[in-house]
Amino acid sequence: MTSTADFTPTEMMTIAAARALKNDDVCFVGIGAPSAACNLARLTHAPQITLIYESGTLATRPNVLPLSIGDGELCDTALTTVSVPEMFRYWLQGGRITVGFLGGAQIDRFANLNTTVVGPYDAPKVRLPGGGGAPEIATNCGEIFITMAQSPRSFVGELEFITSMGHGRTGRERRAMGVKTKGPSRLMTDLCVFEPDPETKEMTVASIHPGVTRERIQENTGWPVRFADGVTQTPAPTAQELEVLRDIQARTKKAHGGSK
């Protein structure tokens, strides 16, 4: 029997992210942590969730977590596969996807994401993979969930480059630009869960994971953190959630020859 008292911060983050999804969601899935969360939801409380990956796979049900959007596991287990232009034009821009699940290298207080460069664009300290389809996902899905490990390097006071718009640099740009989707409505980290303030759209701590203090959250955040008036404690993982998550990760490791 899996012990619920023994779990890692990453497992808590993944499980908290999975819980945000519903059985009737149509979800555009990012690779990595978002994929782990979405498939955990599918294997536990949301068996009928529809998972869509950027390569055009619809209603995919992978047995192991994919290494990339081009992983054959996605196509092999999908209901059908369409072209990338059809995926974006008909499914995404057509308003048929309820949730986009994203991650990133850096995020700011208004949930804008950077996956392009760290440092000045013309002379970056680090060049990142780029946006891919994330900028379009961020503006066209009904709402956006984000999952990221929390540290001062990733949760920064100001982004030098915005790859995918959250609520804009001041929290008002999304509405000003006429973008009608909700944008980031939940941010799950290894320390807590953030939700946007209804008025300012600044990401505010709504629940704190077991064993984590407010001081630790602030130490790992590059801006003055706001806490909701009714901040709660995130429920600890259940035995089932841990067992299912560890099982799919073990299968993935075995299938990929020990690679992560």
Side-chain angles (χ1 to χ4, degrees), residues 32-248:
S35 184
C38 292
N39 281 285
L40 175 59
R42 177 178 64 84
L43 293 168
T44 52
H45 67 277
Q48 300 306 313
I49 191 171
T50 301
L51 301 185
I52 296 176
Y53 286 78
E54 191 175 332
S55 51
T57 55
L58 303 180
T60 189
R61 304 176 70 82
N63 295 308
V64 299
L65 300 177
L67 288 173
S68 72
I69 61 169
D71 196 316
E73 177 72 15
L74 296 176
C75 190
D76 290 345
T77 60
L79 177 64
T80 189
T81 302
V82 301
S83 68
V84 173
E86 179 179 334
M87 167 62 63
F88 279 85
R89 180 65 187 95
Y90 180 80
W91 291 90
L92 182 59
Q93 295 177 347
R96 293 172 170 81
I97 300 176
T98 62
V99 176
F101 223 123
L102 297 174
Q106 292 182 319
I107 191 169
D108 67 12
R109 73 183 69 198
F110 295 110
N112 302 295
L113 292 169
N114 173 26
T115 54
T116 304
V117 293
V118 176
Y121 184 80
D122 294 334
K125 298 176 183 177
V126 180
R127 189 172 296 280
L128 301 166
E136 289 76 19
I137 294 169
T139 54
N140 287 283
C141 292
E143 61 184 316
I144 297 297
F145 297 158
I146 301 168
T147 183
M148 289 176 60
Q150 196 166 342
S151 76
R153 294 181 62 186
S154 57
F155 281 58
V156 298
E158 184 175 357
L159 292 178
E160 293 183 279
F161 192 96
I162 294 178
T163 308
S164 304
M165 184 175 69
H167 297 287
R169 289 202 181 273
T170 68
R172 298 186 293 271
E173 285 76 5
R174 195 177 187 94
R175 288 169 287 184
M177 292 172 64
V179 179
K180 300 185 183 302
T181 51
K182 290 175 63 175
S185 58
R186 203 168 300 184
L187 164 61
M188 282 72 58
T189 82
D190 50 349
L191 302 179
C192 63
V193 176
F194 290 86
E195 294 179 358
D197 179 270
E199 297 300 323
T200 68
K201 301 303 179 182
E202 180 176 344
M203 301 308 286
T204 303
V205 175
S207 75
I208 300 174
H209 298 338
V212 176
T213 63
R214 294 189 179 207
E215 290 74 20
R216 185 177 170 196
I217 293 172
Q218 182 60 75
E219 289 169 358
N220 285 277
T221 310
W223 65 82
V225 178
R226 291 184 56 198
F227 294 84
D229 291 338
V231 65
T232 62
Q233 178 173 289
T234 310
T238 66
Q240 182 201 21
E241 289 170 330
L242 286 172
E243 183 175 354
V244 173
L245 176 59
R246 291 171 181 175
D247 181 61
I248 193 171

